[in-house]
Amino acid sequence: MTAYTAPLRDFDFLLHEVLDVSHAGIPGYDALDRETTAAIHTEAARLAEEVLAPLNAVGDTEGCRLENGEVFTPTGFAAAFRKLAEGGWIALDCDEAFGGTGMPYLMNCTTGEMFVAANMALNMYQGLTHGAISALQVHGTPDQQARYLPNMVAGRWTGTMNLTEPQCGTDLGLIRTRAEPQDDGSYAITGQKIWISGGEHDMAENIVHLVLAKIPGGPKGTKGISLFVVPKFLVNDDGSLGTRNGVACVGLESKMGIHGASTCVMAYEGARGWLVGEEHGGLKAMFTMMNEARLGVGLQGYAVAARAHQAAVAFARDRLQGRAVTGARNPEGPADPIIVHPDVRRMLMDQRAFVEGARAFACWGATLIDRAHRAQDADAEALISLLTPVLKGFLTDRGFETCVGAQQVPGGTGYVQSAGFEQFTRDARIAMIYEGTNGIQALDLVGRKLAQNGGKAMMAFFEQIRAETRAEADDRLRADFHEPLKAASKDLQVAVGVFMETGMKSPEEALAGAADFLRMMGHVCLGLMWARMARAAAAGLAAGGGDADFYRAKLVTGRHYMRRALPETGLLLARIRAGGETVMALEAEAF
Amino acid sequence: MTAYTAPLRDFDFLLHEVLDVSHAGIPGYDALDRETTAAIHTEAARLAEEVLAPLNAVGDTEGCRLENGEVFTPTGFAAAFRKLAEGGWIALDCDEAFGGTGMPYLMNCTTGEMFVAANMALNMYQGLTHGAISALQVHGTPDQQARYLPNMVAGRWTGTMNLTEPQCGTDLGLIRTRAEPQDDGSYAITGQKIWISGGEHDMAENIVHLVLAKIPGGPKGTKGISLFVVPKFLVNDDGSLGTRNGVACVGLESKMGIHGASTCVMAYEGARGWLVGEEHGGLKAMFTMMNEARLGVGLQGYAVAARAHQAAVAFARDRLQGRAVTGARNPEGPADPIIVHPDVRRMLMDQRAFVEGARAFACWGATLIDRAHRAQDADAEALISLLTPVLKGFLTDRGFETCVGAQQVPGGTGYVQSAGFEQFTRDARIAMIYEGTNGIQALDLVGRKLAQNGGKAMMAFFEQIRAETRAEADDRLRADFHEPLKAASKDLQVAVGVFMETGMKSPEEALAGAADFLRMMGHVCLGLMWARMARAAAAGLAAGGGDADFYRAKLVTGRHYMRRALPETGLLLARIRAGGETVMALEAEAF
């Protein structure tokens, strides 16, 4: 089993030295001074390190169990969830009108990283609940909000999102679940939903399902989908729980990982539900949850990787094997710690450069969300909309690769269950798949977001890079950070040009390179983050003080990213230029 | 569960159209005419498809069980192993003096791919047995050979290799297991070995352990290691089984994958053993097994990937979701099969281009081994020695990535255990670790093999590329295959130059780029294979006949590799040039 230590210094650096949040001019951010964020992070870290992390292996080993329609979560999960709820962590950025704390989403992001790193499976129950809260906050009627939100925000009840059916995953137009209008204004929901996270469990008094279904007689395809709220127990007008609704968990999936998260087959048999948002407007309402979920999944990608990297470092410092090629470093011992070996360090530095860059990217993304929502800033909204598929796709792809790399450091120990490494790899794998596979993210990026509003958001992104590389900097920063960033950004611009040229003639040409483009853009985002962090670290170093080692390590890690990771943009551009000919040439039968 | 179909046409193409084995001038190869190899492959395919493949999921689900020192393998494993043995598949390339068939190693490679693809865990019992047979064939005394080999070749007894101890994996100099000389010429072996594949099971009458141990008073470190044969049951002079030896399985590892393969903790308590090879010459003797095992592991890497790719293709043809961007292809159905989508095809083609290239690389490697062993060709020996770490490291790294890619095609289904995809990912993960982690392979390549004999083998490798690109070819083959191969080979040459320059000054500089170099060399190997296959396919196409679709698909797949995969050499060169500064800069405490 591996311990977990929250990256408190890194959060402080990002929020106050890189993003300078308390002077960012975003409503609510002026309260985020150094002491306040430190107090919140320290509290969340304690919960993550002491309560959630020790249950991570337990959850994996025990998994969930279905008996007579009831789902039992692993030992300790219910008690830990209670602590999450009672600590106010679900409520952190929820509306104060429903009992929330009203903090910026940014704080949800930083504390969420710790909770996910400590125990990804356990945190899913609160993540899904949070998404359902957001959907009801935006699309619910005042009655629905009053009926459901206070208990959800308090974590007494949890929430779910019900999209997938056996015949329909990505293509929601194929949904068969029916919602028959009843005389009292409610609907009778009938159908089967699969892969429902937290669809049933023993950690809350009630479960509030948000369900996509079709009202008979509506338009075909996705235009005929509506969203319904379907509680496990009906809620009386006085807020007390009423009778059991016609919804039940009829199966649990055995999965590669996240065993502590129940993944349910849900049967709706004339369950009572109420319309959320507009009739046939379900997709729009669901996307409030979905966009939030995608950011949350991106966060999962790098958070699990951060934990896996920590474990790899601890192993590499501890394990004695072989001698340094330049001479023994631990001559009294039987061998040197393997962290002396260049290839082990290469793996550790690759991991570290990704994790710290990803953390900055997620935090920056969170400030864009806050700026969009709290300051009604349409430019920020457009930019985060462009970046959402990148945050989801790039951070989960690279996060998984980072877990695989961390698993490689301890050799055979990485393959043995009790050591914990292989669980990170198995858990992280799902993040590339759910809430829209990473292929779907790439399609969203290239097929929709890129050209939206005449490519305005993309131009704003390039402007961010230009602004950074125009910032005051010494020759070293220019050579180590600005020049590589400019080169990578140039590759990205050329790729946009290729798409503009070919996409008109053949959408297949452009879409064959969509995944490459998403990855390229992810690298440029992390390159931008590293340029910003390097500037802040250089400033910190120049200011003197006791943190010189921290800043120097930041600069080394950043250079590592710029030299070793960022040049992948050239390869990705070559792939995009290669186009779709070989991708599309074979008949389906020839495979 | 996924079905398995052996790639018989591909084997035929490789052996007779690309490698032209029956005219290769290697002793024993003249008998490998088209009919003979087809008959052998068809027979092996039947066993793989009908007997081994259906047990793959069973093995994963049931795993192995330890009770009172006995290990029970999954349902059906023992009977299937019997069929492998009785079919003569273990004996295929073993010495006829001990009951083997005496076929070339090449046939062991092609049939082995099918057995591994069908059931990697089950095939490990025979793979390890094969390795132990090889070690005894080369290093055993005539008495040891007579005593053990006939039953091992017949598969009545199995074999193991015992290297690892809790404190010692890669660094075998730290071995503590003792071998005390006895008056009768035997040794009393005492110590604990871990991660012993097939250390105990219920599929054979006896288990022949080959064990590394130290004879007290010998030299320190790896120079004091000797190899011993330690049977589970002592073998009487008449060949009958005698008393139980002092060796027992005291634990089973719970692992990420290959659940059907027992991974044992073995306790030796004064077990009787006999020296194999020379006193203190154990490492050399063990490397006979180890080199064979490394090739076998490389084969595992791409064989599991081949199976995973097949499953992904089947899913993509079948699953209806969304519409082709250029218009419905299945207008009568509710949606199009997902194989119409460019990003799905991109994944499938990436997988296919790797798998087919890897298969060619493995078969070519096998001919080098046969040429080295059967024709005592020192140049072939040097070349395969150079290529062994590449076969092991590159094919397992890329094989795992290919399984992850195949798992991505079916979306959520890829994460659910019953669908089978996630098992391939879990099983394939070990191949990057065991028989020397891929970092150790890179160290072997860059630190030892590259400069051996003044770099003679590396020069011979470059000569292979020059010869191929000088071969007669039309403009299309030149542009599509020769030019990219030359460019990649140039990158490789530049990288060699960088190492020669920096390696002298700082070995850490060179070793920081070792993994990049191995990957680069792997790409160039597959590029060379694709150039050869393209030439053969073009010839086949020109000759006419009914196989035009096969050849055309080969050319498309090859172009896909040359355009999308091979350009990675440029990125890898950039990483090698970036050197070791950022890799080595941080103090261990700063991580």
Side-chain angles (χ1 to χ4, degrees), chain B residues 110-175:
Chain B
T110 51
T111 56
E113 180 196 316
M114 295 186 261
F115 298 148
V116 172
N119 196 323
M120 173 172 165
L122 176 52
N123 196 62
M124 284 181 65
Y125 297 94
Q126 83 117 333
L128 270 300
T129 302
H130 194 278
I133 291 170
S134 299
L136 287 172
Q137 278 186 178
V138 177
H139 302 284
T141 64
D143 174 74
Q144 287 169 348
Q145 292 176 343
R147 198 175 291 263
Y148 299 109
L149 285 177
N151 278 311
M152 293 173 77
V153 170
R156 279 188 293 274
W157 302 353
T158 62
T160 70
M161 55 197 290
N162 288 239
L163 288 76
T164 307
E165 300 179 9
Q167 79 292 350
C168 125
T170 297
D171 188 353
L172 291 172
L174 302 177
I175 276 181

Side-chain angles (χ1 to χ4, degrees), chain B residues 16 25 59 109 235 278 358 364 375 460 555-556:
Chain B
H16 301 290
C109 171
V235 180
E278 293 179 21
W364 177 47
L555 288 164
V556 166

Side-chain angles (χ1 to χ4, degrees), chain A residues 313-332:
Chain A
V313 167
F315 186 96
R317 276 210 197 101
D318 211 50
R319 173 77 168 173
L320 305 179
Q321 208 78 180
R323 290 293 182 190
V325 65
T326 48
R329 301 282 174 85
N330 175 32
E332 303 79 33

Side-chain angles (χ1 to χ4, degrees), chain A residues 51-53 55-56 73 76-82 84 115 118-127 203 258 260-261:
Chain A
V51 178
L52 307 185
L55 292 174
N56 195 42
T73 56
F77 266 45
F81 184 77
R82 203 101 309 278
L84 260 174
F115 298 147
N119 196 323
M120 173 172 165
L122 175 52
N123 196 63
M124 285 180 65
Y125 296 94
Q126 83 117 332
M203 313 200 306
I258 51 166

